[in-house]
Amino acid sequence: MRTGVWLIGARGSVAVTSMVGALAVRASLAAPLGCVTELPELRSAAVPTLGDLVFGGHDMSTVGLVKKARDLAASGVLPGALVEAVAAELDMIEVEVLPAPGGGVPCEGSPDGRVQADTAARIVSDLRAFRDRHDLARIVVVNVSSTEPVATPHPAHADLAALRAALDLPGAVLPASALYAYAALSAGCPFVDFTPSTGARLPALAELAAEARLPHAGSDGKTGETLLKSVLAPMFALRHLRVTSWSGINLLGGGDGATLADPAANAAKTASKHRVLGETLGYQPEGHTRIDHVPELGDFKTAWDLVTFQGFLGTAMRMEFTWHGCDSALAAPLVLDLARLTAAAHAAGVVGPVPELAFFFKDPIGDVPHGLAEQWTLLVEFVRGLSDATA
Amino acid sequence: MRTGVWLIGARGSVAVTSMVGALAVRASLAAPLGCVTELPELRSAAVPTLGDLVFGGHDMSTVGLVKKARDLAASGVLPGALVEAVAAELDMIEVEVLPAPGGGVPCEGSPDGRVQADTAARIVSDLRAFRDRHDLARIVVVNVSSTEPVATPHPAHADLAALRAALDLPGAVLPASALYAYAALSAGCPFVDFTPSTGARLPALAELAAEARLPHAGSDGKTGETLLKSVLAPMFALRHLRVTSWSGINLLGGGDGATLADPAANAAKTASKHRVLGETLGYQPEGHTRIDHVPELGDFKTAWDLVTFQGFLGTAMRMEFTWHGCDSALAAPLVLDLARLTAAAHAAGVVGPVPELAFFFKDPIGDVPHGLAEQWTLLVEFVRGLSDATA
Amino acid sequence: MRTGVWLIGARGSVAVTSMVGALAVRASLAAPLGCVTELPELRSAAVPTLGDLVFGGHDMSTVGLVKKARDLAASGVLPGALVEAVAAELDMIEVEVLPAPGGGVPCEGSPDGRVQADTAARIVSDLRAFRDRHDLARIVVVNVSSTEPVATPHPAHADLAALRAALDLPGAVLPASALYAYAALSAGCPFVDFTPSTGARLPALAELAAEARLPHAGSDGKTGETLLKSVLAPMFALRHLRVTSWSGINLLGGGDGATLADPAANAAKTASKHRVLGETLGYQPEGHTRIDHVPELGDFKTAWDLVTFQGFLGTAMRMEFTWHGCDSALAAPLVLDLARLTAAAHAAGVVGPVPELAFFFKDPIGDVPHGLAEQWTLLVEFVRGLSDATA
Amino acid sequence: MRTGVWLIGARGSVAVTSMVGALAVRASLAAPLGCVTELPELRSAAVPTLGDLVFGGHDMSTVGLVKKARDLAASGVLPGALVEAVAAELDMIEVEVLPAPGGGVPCEGSPDGRVQADTAARIVSDLRAFRDRHDLARIVVVNVSSTEPVATPHPAHADLAALRAALDLPGAVLPASALYAYAALSAGCPFVDFTPSTGARLPALAELAAEARLPHAGSDGKTGETLLKSVLAPMFALRHLRVTSWSGINLLGGGDGATLADPAANAAKTASKHRVLGETLGYQPEGHTRIDHVPELGDFKTAWDLVTFQGFLGTAMRMEFTWHGCDSALAAPLVLDLARLTAAAHAAGVVGPVPELAFFFKDPIGDVPHGLAEQWTLLVEFVRGLSDATA
């Protein structure tokens, strides 16, 4: 069951860490830490192995994969020895990473007369060629590119027929992430959005996924502060403690940090970060989540949160936490998990959004539980169901 | 269903906070924050209400309940206005708080020729008189006294007949907490140990509980750092992140702080604090939990923990948290919950240790899950079962 | 040497805390904690005692002083018993707290045809009446009102003659803080700005202070995070450690929190907070200081800072701190210190800005050291000089 | 002015980091970060340059210097590229690192009939040979070996003549650190103790230093938590804030961590860590400093401190800090500074303890200020004096 993993942003830190890790783990050079599909509860013959995965992708960057991996090693994200051990194999993926069509942002302004439908067609053609070249059972397209600013609404987002018509006209109807989702679904590929960008979250694209009988998942990988919120907020709720404020700041360098320094992108990200509190607690405590770009911190991120709460008879108490995590190292194994699980879902005939993957996301699609433990239970049952379907 | 709550250590901070809170909440002067039995998922006709509870207890202290409550108000644990509002009612409980038989530690050395069986008989008699005086359906005995040092083993702990014989001889066979458990069970009362002391955790007492067809629960209320561990350790496990060290320090003033400054008591407490990690993670990370007595901090406690962990490809990451909690305010509503739930269990015919109450304890009896979410599920099902039994 | 202390914002938390404290300390009901002029190194016959101080002020609020003090006690800023002990005396100050002329913000828009010169005249007249009524040697005017937004520049700020002419015309030439400074200096009173507002920091007002032979001091009392920076930044510098980033967030409720939630005022405050780093280290590290309003926190403020630095051979290290302070309690004793020291400076004939008071300010006037230890040395020598001048 | 630096513990992390750093900085491969003698205020012709230093030492370990340096690089303490760049030069120092006489702990039990005087004679002879081999103006002996347990008192410690007599008899009169100090001073070499061990802090050794007209300095390099205390405690004192408790925990791996896990050595270290508070504040706040060994943390150390304090009218406030430092990287440049400054002191004729070096130590000799700023002023004046003496 050879499975393609097509990464939008294939030369970025998350993508390259995913590739290096997959190569290292399948060569038994490293344990599959961080990969939840490798936990006993989720092991299933229905899920493709790491060895089944074949990588490719689009990126507007031209930095070589091996070069990027060595840069990540220099900044402490990847062990240098592992990078060297898989460098030759990594270099073989190089030919499968194609320039982003339309020079990154597809068809903004359409200077050459091309319309977004053309760009989508080019992406579809790239995906089909990849599938044929490697004789793949399927390809899962995963967006791990930088976060986009909040997208401008467009009437054609509401309806698939209107969207198809609009894409044939000049102008940018869809933001890049959604154009990739459109193309992926049009090519018969499941789509996963690991970022808070628009991706497949438009009615027209939901319609397309249903029509094409494809699963899709998202959005915004839950890797740090929100992961903590998804276990701490239920703790306060189950103990009947009233959270009066929850404030936080995220300091991050790296590519995503620079993007998020843009207030519009920041707004998109912080909104998805806060959603878990209201959903889990049943009310919205005071406080905000801030994101600040501190280039010095590189791929590592420091998040600090202050939670004030009331206990019995209103007694005021508080907790603080600091999380020092490496975003790429936290994200990469989840990207591999999502690719494998979404491939298995597709094989089992799952169609539409997959709320059972809520465990992985800050801002999961659908009416799902926001506590990590319930999300885990849902996930375990989902994988068991896939196994039964396959068996 | 009038239910007695007999508190060992009835003049201590936790006991007095429990009484003030029960009086205030049932007079609608305060919301039942911190009381989990008041959450919708646990509401049940099988569980006595706060209004059903009648308080009494033993203590070697002679400080008046109202005086103690005012001291707690002065140090920020209780709102002064609430204390005044319930002072008259609190004062009426005064007559039900009896001197600890044997002057606190029962029969250590037996200076007056009395043996531990005599002390136990006196406790039984106090309990029966309380039941008769108030026409109670049952009494739940809850130990909220100071933590004892680790108890000295004695051959008679292994067998009920041997224990009964030994108690008739001079000398201290049982530590105080276990003698109270023995007396409670002998008087037909369920027993709950909210402390890490021995309590009912001896084979001879398990035999007695079975013989008397009584439920018992314990031990060591989960109010702060261990509560956090019970949600954070599962988070690391579910994400397949390897915890390499978990170190912590607890700074506390107050009575319990002074007791725990004693290295032997400290050892008992820190062992029960660390158990959750090994049970949840499946391995024991490096690191220790320390307890330091800082009188200045009063009833408030500050815990700081450092967790180091490895993610994908071994990348080293870390988190820290600080918890500033008021121990009495965290413990008191759980004491009320436990009294109510154990009474309901007794009414429903539950016999022996009640692992379904693991949600409340650092060191729960039996082979139970240590993650808070699973403990919650177990508890919800347990209460549902009680309701069905009663209905 | 009876000395007036005229507080702009006399009904605010800082002012009322200052008054209650001065009354309590001089009645020997409390130790003078936080008052640096009470340290042995700064005790001097040249400095008026707390008993010499007579309070008055302006405010647009009409909440009574005793009411405000009780509110502060309820929120934990002042001990309730102290407030009651001085309530009668505090109430006697009530008549000396006058409505802010012009309804707070003086002459914005001049609806009644009055010009800013009229408002200034009214302030001057209030000050003179206060001096006469109490037979005061002098009055020090201290601005403790809420932080203003960054002021709009005006050509008349550069020159005293131009300013006087402009104040006679309709329109708001000066922001409120500067109009108070203008009026204070015009009335022969030294002026202290405890806020980051404009105050006396305009060339025209420097000219006025020189002409009137008056000292003035400012600005922005150093009460929390910046106080820590003023000892930590020198530590890194003296140890030749390179600070690579310094990021922080301040969470605060209370009146000032609400004001600072306004981005323009926020900008003024955070700029003065960051200045100490560049001045002490000789370079500007990466990172920002954020301010967030969290009403729940009340008069208490939580600041968290992350400092990353490089040591020998570039090794990357880090420190974090959290500061939980009560702003009013930190500010009030410094307000009393500044009133007393500025009065002494005036008595000794000091004219113009007083850089020797840099110890008290985030953003001190003049070319002064920014390390706390050097500021302290400067202050000790200054007070010694005043004593010599007086002796 | 070729100057020998003889390191007791020459194969340990601190020693090897010092050597690698000295080689790298003098080859202009790295900036002298962390070296305070390279700050403008301390630059002086009287102080030998890094290029003047010649390294040697004793150690009971036999791990090669280059091997040790590569291990340090692997654990993130040293940059790997720097280690390789100086590996050849480092390897040339290898011949100057001799086995510790007596197999490490000198003459404990004297199995071979040798007495401590013999061991001392062997050390003296090693030092003289080193001096002659390299034609050194002088050698500074610096103890950077693991912390000893608190030493057993011995009557001969009080008097030089008695000590000399006792050393000729079987048995361990002096702990290792003091025997090295005795030998160093006997060989005419200034002695610096960078550890909390006994070193030269015995009356008999003070007598020897005076007789030999030699300077000596110590003890216990101030690299982390105590460094912070030396700026934070003065801050509280200068602001007249009352510190009510100061509690801390140090988590450390590495060699020193293992040694300090021994309660007796721990006691020595924590006592010197706490001294700064009493000396700076004028009273001893509540609280303790703990040290825990967590091997996982390697050469990096995490210290967490909680400080509670009272401000105006007794308002309770608090601060916390976490320090994540690399001990070897913090210590090594100070070792180089101390060797250079002590050599300069010797050249200028300074005799006896050098309190002006208090800036570098947790537990400085003599009646010295404990605030870092005052220690700095003392140091700057001292170096200026040396320059004048030399000029």
Side-chain angles (χ1 to χ4, degrees):
Chain A
M1 194 164 59
R2 288 166 65 76
T3 302
V5 182
W6 190 264
L7 299 162
I8 314 304
R11 300 186 184 283
S13 301
V14 173
V16 173
T17 301
S18 303
M19 293 176 199
V20 168
L23 296 175
V25 172
R26 75 196 188 196
S28 297
L29 300 171
L33 282 185
C35 296
V36 303
T37 45
E38 298 291 327
L39 288 170
E41 296 90 336
L42 293 187
R43 253 183 233 137
S44 162
V47 174
T49 67
L50 282 173
D52 293 329
L53 305 183
V54 179
F55 292 94
H58 281 119
D59 204 311
M60 61 183 127
S61 161
T62 56
V63 176
L65 297 176
V66 173
K67 166 80 169 67
K68 178 72 182 180
R70 286 180 179 145
D71 289 352
L72 289 168
S75 64
V77 178
L78 291 173
L82 271 194
V83 169
E84 296 315 318
V86 305
E89 267 195 285
L90 184 62
D91 200 45
M92 290 169 63
I93 300 174
E94 192 66 62
V95 295
E96 299 296 355
V97 181
L98 310 180
V105 183
C107 290
E108 284 281 12
S110 320
D112 56 355
R114 293 198 316 168
V115 295
Q116 283 199 316
D118 297 332
T119 308
R122 166 108 174 267
I123 297 168
V124 168
S125 143
D126 287 345
L127 288 167
R128 288 189 175 142
F130 179 60
R131 177 159 49 195
D132 294 347
R133 211 152 47 235
H134 294 280
D135 191 24
L136 303 171
R138 63 187 50 78
I139 304 170
V140 179
V141 175
V142 186
N143 181 19
V144 289
S145 63
S146 290
T147 299
E148 293 170 352
V150 176
T152 315
H154 187 288
H157 292 174
D159 178 82
L160 181 57
L163 178 62
R164 282 176 170 144
L167 291 173
D168 277 328
L169 300 174
V173 180
L174 292 176
S177 64
L179 189 61
Y180 276 110
Y182 173 80
L185 298 170
S186 299
C189 302
F191 179 81
V192 176
D193 203 329
F194 203 78
T195 80
S197 303
T198 304
R201 286 185 300 174
L202 294 175
L205 296 180
E207 203 181 330
L208 174 56
E211 183 187 289
R213 315 271 325 138
L214 288 167
H216 58 96
S219 57
D220 205 2
K222 183 160 63 185
T223 54
E225 193 192 26
T226 311
L227 178 62
L228 285 163
K229 282 181 176 165
S230 74
V231 296
L232 292 173
M235 179 194 81
F236 289 107
L238 296 183
R239 279 298 175 97
H240 203 171
L241 300 166
R242 182 162 184 91
V243 176
T244 46
S245 73
W246 196 311
S247 308
I249 188 163
N250 287 265
L251 305 175
L252 61 165
D256 210 35
T259 310
L260 292 169
D262 173 54
N266 194 321
K269 191 97 177 185
T270 57
S272 84
K273 270 169 171 296
H274 236 65
R275 193 180 154 200
V276 60
L277 294 184
E279 303 269 359
T280 312
L281 298 171
Y283 54 88
Q284 194 63 42
E286 289 184 3
H288 301 94
T289 299
R290 302 286 171 201
I291 299 179
D292 252 357
H293 184 225
V294 183
E296 168 67 22
L297 300 178
D299 278 280
F300 283 78
K301 182 168 75 176
T302 295
W304 173 81
D305 276 33
L306 171 68
V307 186
T308 62
F309 60 98
Q310 288 183 343
F312 201 46
L313 308 178
T315 309
M317 301 183 253
R318 55 167 64 207
M319 80 166 287
E320 287 171 53
F321 66 80
T322 310
W323 172 268
H324 306 289
C326 175
D327 253 21
S328 303
L330 289 162
L334 305 182
V335 166
L336 298 174
D337 285 332
L338 282 164
R340 295 164 69 189
L341 292 167
T342 307
H346 184 221
V350 174
V351 171
V354 188
E356 293 89 348
L357 297 176
F359 180 79
F360 295 96
F361 295 112
K362 282 198 197 71
D363 194 17
I365 298 172
D367 183 18
V368 295
H370 284 261
L372 192 72
E374 289 165 286
Q375 292 176 339
W376 171 252
T377 303
L378 208 60
L379 179 61
V380 169
E381 283 162 13
F382 177 66
V383 173
R384 199 167 301 147
L386 294 180
S387 309
D388 298 346
T390 321
Chain B
M1 196 162 60
R2 287 166 66 78
T3 303
V5 182
W6 191 265
L7 298 162
I8 314 304
R11 298 188 185 282
S13 300
V14 173
V16 173
T17 302
S18 303
M19 294 174 199
V20 168
L23 297 174
V25 172
R26 74 197 190 197
S28 298
L29 300 172
L33 281 186
C35 297
V36 303
T37 45
E38 298 290 330
L39 288 170
E41 296 89 336
L42 293 187
R43 251 180 235 138
S44 161
V47 176
T49 67
L50 283 173
D52 292 329
L53 305 184
V54 180
F55 293 93
H58 281 119
D59 203 311
M60 61 182 126
S61 162
T62 57
V63 176
L65 297 175
V66 173
K67 166 81 169 68
K68 177 71 181 181
R70 284 178 181 147
D71 289 351
L72 289 167
S75 63
V77 179
L78 292 173
L82 270 194
V83 169
E84 295 316 317
V86 305
E89 267 195 283
L90 184 63
D91 200 44
M92 290 170 62
I93 299 174
E94 193 65 62
V95 295
E96 298 297 356
V97 181
L98 309 180
V105 183
C107 287
E108 284 282 12
S110 320
D112 56 356
R114 294 197 314 168
V115 296
Q116 283 199 317
D118 297 333
T119 308
R122 165 108 174 269
I123 296 168
V124 168
S125 143
D126 287 346
L127 288 167
R128 287 191 176 139
F130 180 59
R131 177 158 48 195
D132 294 347
R133 211 150 50 235
H134 293 280
D135 191 24
L136 302 171
R138 64 187 50 78
I139 304 171
V140 179
V141 176
V142 186
N143 181 20
V144 289
S145 64
S146 290
T147 298
E148 295 170 351
V150 176
T152 315
H154 188 289
H157 293 174
D159 177 84
L160 181 56
L163 178 63
R164 282 178 170 143
L167 290 173
D168 276 327
L169 299 174
V173 180
L174 291 177
S177 64
L179 190 63
Y180 275 110
Y182 173 81
L185 297 170
S186 299
C189 301
F191 180 80
V192 176
D193 204 329
F194 203 78
T195 81
S197 303
T198 305
R201 286 186 300 175
L202 294 174
L205 297 180
E207 205 181 328
L208 174 56
E211 183 186 286
R213 317 268 328 134
L214 288 167
H216 58 96
S219 58
D220 204 4
K222 182 160 65 186
T223 52
E225 193 192 26
T226 310
L227 178 61
L228 284 163
K229 282 180 176 165
S230 74
V231 295
L232 292 174
M235 179 193 81
F236 289 108
L238 296 184
R239 279 300 176 94
H240 204 174
L241 300 166
R242 183 163 184 92
V243 177
T244 46
S245 74
W246 196 310
S247 308
I249 188 163
N250 287 263
L251 305 175
L252 60 165
D256 211 34
T259 309
L260 292 170
D262 172 54
N266 194 321
K269 192 94 177 185
T270 56
S272 85
K273 272 169 169 295
H274 235 65
R275 192 180 155 202
V276 60
L277 294 185
E279 303 270 359
T280 312
L281 298 171
Y283 54 89
Q284 194 64 43
E286 289 184 3
H288 301 94
T289 298
R290 303 284 171 204
I291 299 180
D292 252 358
H293 184 225
V294 183
E296 167 68 20
L297 300 179
D299 279 280
F300 284 78
K301 183 167 75 176
T302 296
W304 173 81
D305 277 34
L306 172 67
V307 187
T308 60
F309 60 98
Q310 289 182 342
F312 200 47
L313 309 178
T315 308
M317 302 183 251
R318 53 169 62 209
M319 80 165 287
E320 288 171 51
F321 65 81
T322 310
W323 172 268
H324 306 289
C326 175
D327 252 21
S328 304
L330 289 162
L334 304 182
V335 166
L336 298 173
D337 286 331
L338 282 164
R340 296 165 69 188
L341 292 168
T342 307
H346 185 220
V350 174
V351 172
V354 189
E356 293 89 347
L357 297 175
F359 179 80
F360 295 96
F361 294 114
K362 282 196 197 71
D363 195 15
I365 298 172
D367 183 19
V368 296
H370 283 260
L372 192 72
E374 288 164 288
Q375 293 176 339
W376 171 252
T377 303
L378 209 59
L379 179 62
V380 169
E381 282 161 12
F382 178 65
V383 173
R384 199 166 301 145
L386 295 180
S387 308
D388 297 347
T390 321
Chain C
M1 194 162 60
R2 288 166 66 77
T3 302
V5 182
W6 191 264
L7 298 163
I8 314 305
R11 299 186 183 284
S13 301
V14 173
V16 173
T17 302
S18 303
M19 293 175 199
V20 168
L23 295 174
V25 172
R26 73 196 189 197
S28 297
L29 300 171
L33 281 185
C35 297
V36 302
T37 46
E38 297 291 328
L39 288 169
E41 297 88 335
L42 292 188
R43 251 181 235 138
S44 161
V47 175
T49 67
L50 282 172
D52 292 329
L53 305 184
V54 180
F55 292 94
H58 281 117
D59 203 312
M60 60 184 126
S61 162
T62 57
V63 176
L65 297 176
V66 173
K67 167 80 169 68
K68 177 71 182 182
R70 286 179 179 147
D71 289 351
L72 289 168
S75 63
V77 179
L78 291 173
L82 270 193
V83 169
E84 295 315 316
V86 304
E89 265 195 286
L90 184 62
D91 199 45
M92 289 171 63
I93 299 174
E94 193 66 62
V95 295
E96 299 296 356
V97 180
L98 309 181
V105 183
C107 289
E108 285 281 10
S110 321
D112 55 356
R114 291 197 317 166
V115 294
Q116 282 199 317
D118 297 332
T119 307
R122 165 107 175 268
I123 297 167
V124 168
S125 143
D126 286 347
L127 287 168
R128 287 192 176 139
F130 180 57
R131 178 158 49 193
D132 294 348
R133 211 150 52 234
H134 293 281
D135 192 23
L136 302 171
R138 63 187 52 78
I139 303 170
V140 179
V141 175
V142 186
N143 181 20
V144 289
S145 63
S146 290
T147 298
E148 295 169 351
V150 175
T152 315
H154 188 288
H157 292 174
D159 176 83
L160 181 56
L163 178 63
R164 281 176 170 144
L167 291 173
D168 277 328
L169 300 175
V173 180
L174 293 176
S177 64
L179 190 62
Y180 275 110
Y182 172 81
L185 297 170
S186 298
C189 300
F191 180 82
V192 175
D193 204 328
F194 203 79
T195 79
S197 302
T198 305
R201 286 186 300 174
L202 294 174
L205 296 180
E207 203 181 330
L208 175 56
E211 181 186 287
R213 316 266 332 134
L214 288 168
H216 57 96
S219 57
D220 206 3
K222 182 160 65 187
T223 53
E225 193 193 28
T226 311
L227 178 62
L228 284 163
K229 283 181 176 165
S230 74
V231 296
L232 292 173
M235 180 193 81
F236 288 108
L238 296 183
R239 279 299 177 96
H240 204 170
L241 300 166
R242 182 162 185 91
V243 176
T244 45
S245 74
W246 196 309
S247 307
I249 188 163
N250 287 264
L251 305 175
L252 62 164
D256 211 34
T259 309
L260 292 169
D262 172 54
N266 194 320
K269 192 95 177 185
T270 56
S272 84
K273 271 170 171 295
H274 235 65
R275 194 182 153 199
V276 60
L277 294 184
E279 303 269 359
T280 311
L281 297 171
Y283 54 89
Q284 195 63 44
E286 289 183 5
H288 300 95
T289 299
R290 302 285 171 202
I291 299 179
D292 253 358
H293 185 225
V294 183
E296 168 67 22
L297 300 179
D299 279 280
F300 284 77
K301 183 169 73 175
T302 295
W304 173 79
D305 276 33
L306 171 68
V307 187
T308 61
F309 60 98
Q310 289 183 344
F312 200 46
L313 309 178
T315 309
M317 301 183 251
R318 53 167 64 207
M319 81 166 286
E320 287 172 53
F321 66 81
T322 310
W323 172 266
H324 306 290
C326 176
D327 252 21
S328 303
L330 288 162
L334 304 182
V335 165
L336 298 174
D337 285 331
L338 282 164
R340 294 164 71 188
L341 291 168
T342 307
H346 184 220
V350 174
V351 172
V354 189
E356 293 89 349
L357 297 176
F359 180 80
F360 295 96
F361 295 112
K362 282 197 196 72
D363 195 14
I365 298 173
D367 184 19
V368 296
H370 283 260
L372 193 72
E374 289 165 286
Q375 293 175 339
W376 171 253
T377 303
L378 207 60
L379 179 61
V380 169
E381 282 162 13
F382 178 65
V383 173
R384 198 165 303 145
L386 293 180
S387 309
D388 298 347
T390 320
Chain D
M1 196 163 57
R2 286 165 67 78
T3 302
V5 182
W6 190 264
L7 299 163
I8 313 303
R11 299 186 184 285
S13 300
V14 173
V16 174
T17 302
S18 302
M19 292 175 201
V20 168
L23 296 175
V25 173
R26 72 196 189 198
S28 298
L29 300 172
L33 281 186
C35 297
V36 303
T37 45
E38 298 291 328
L39 288 170
E41 297 89 336
L42 293 188
R43 252 181 234 138
S44 161
V47 176
T49 66
L50 283 173
D52 292 328
L53 305 184
V54 179
F55 292 94
H58 280 119
D59 203 310
M60 61 182 124
S61 161
T62 56
V63 175
L65 298 176
V66 172
K67 166 80 169 67
K68 177 72 182 181
R70 284 178 180 147
D71 289 352
L72 289 168
S75 64
V77 178
L78 291 173
L82 270 194
V83 169
E84 296 315 318
V86 303
E89 267 194 284
L90 184 62
D91 200 46
M92 290 170 63
I93 300 175
E94 193 65 62
V95 294
E96 299 297 354
V97 180
L98 309 181
V105 183
C107 290
E108 284 281 11
S110 320
D112 55 355
R114 292 197 315 167
V115 295
Q116 283 199 318
D118 297 332
T119 309
R122 166 106 174 270
I123 297 167
V124 168
S125 142
D126 286 347
L127 287 167
R128 287 194 176 137
F130 180 58
R131 178 159 48 194
D132 294 347
R133 211 151 51 234
H134 293 280
D135 191 23
L136 303 172
R138 64 189 49 79
I139 304 171
V140 179
V141 175
V142 187
N143 181 19
V144 289
S145 63
S146 290
T147 298
E148 294 170 352
V150 176
T152 316
H154 188 288
H157 292 174
D159 177 83
L160 181 56
L163 178 63
R164 281 179 171 143
L167 291 173
D168 277 328
L169 299 174
V173 180
L174 292 176
S177 64
L179 189 63
Y180 275 110
Y182 172 80
L185 297 170
S186 299
C189 301
F191 180 80
V192 176
D193 204 330
F194 203 78
T195 81
S197 303
T198 305
R201 286 185 301 174
L202 293 174
L205 296 180
E207 204 181 329
L208 175 56
E211 182 185 289
R213 317 270 325 136
L214 289 168
H216 59 95
S219 59
D220 205 4
K222 183 159 65 187
T223 52
E225 194 192 25
T226 310
L227 178 63
L228 284 163
K229 282 180 176 166
S230 75
V231 297
L232 292 173
M235 179 195 80
F236 289 108
L238 296 184
R239 278 298 176 97
H240 204 171
L241 300 166
R242 183 164 184 92
V243 176
T244 46
S245 74
W246 196 310
S247 307
I249 188 163
N250 287 263
L251 305 175
L252 61 165
D256 211 34
T259 309
L260 292 169
D262 172 53
N266 194 321
K269 191 96 178 185
T270 56
S272 85
K273 271 170 170 297
H274 235 64
R275 192 179 155 202
V276 60
L277 294 184
E279 303 269 1
T280 311
L281 297 171
Y283 54 88
Q284 194 64 43
E286 289 184 3
H288 300 95
T289 299
R290 302 285 171 202
I291 299 180
D292 253 358
H293 185 224
V294 184
E296 167 69 20
L297 299 179
D299 279 279
F300 283 77
K301 183 168 75 175
T302 295
W304 173 80
D305 277 34
L306 171 68
V307 186
T308 62
F309 60 97
Q310 288 183 343
F312 200 45
L313 308 177
T315 308
M317 303 183 249
R318 55 169 60 208
M319 80 165 287
E320 287 172 50
F321 66 81
T322 309
W323 172 267
H324 306 290
C326 175
D327 252 20
S328 303
L330 288 162
L334 304 182
V335 166
L336 299 174
D337 286 331
L338 282 164
R340 294 164 69 187
L341 291 168
T342 307
H346 184 221
V350 174
V351 171
V354 189
E356 293 89 346
L357 297 176
F359 180 80
F360 295 95
F361 295 113
K362 281 198 197 70
D363 196 14
I365 298 172
D367 184 19
V368 295
H370 283 260
L372 192 72
E374 289 165 286
Q375 293 176 339
W376 171 253
T377 303
L378 208 60
L379 179 62
V380 168
E381 282 162 12
F382 177 66
V383 173
R384 200 166 301 144
L386 294 179
S387 309
D388 297 348
T390 322

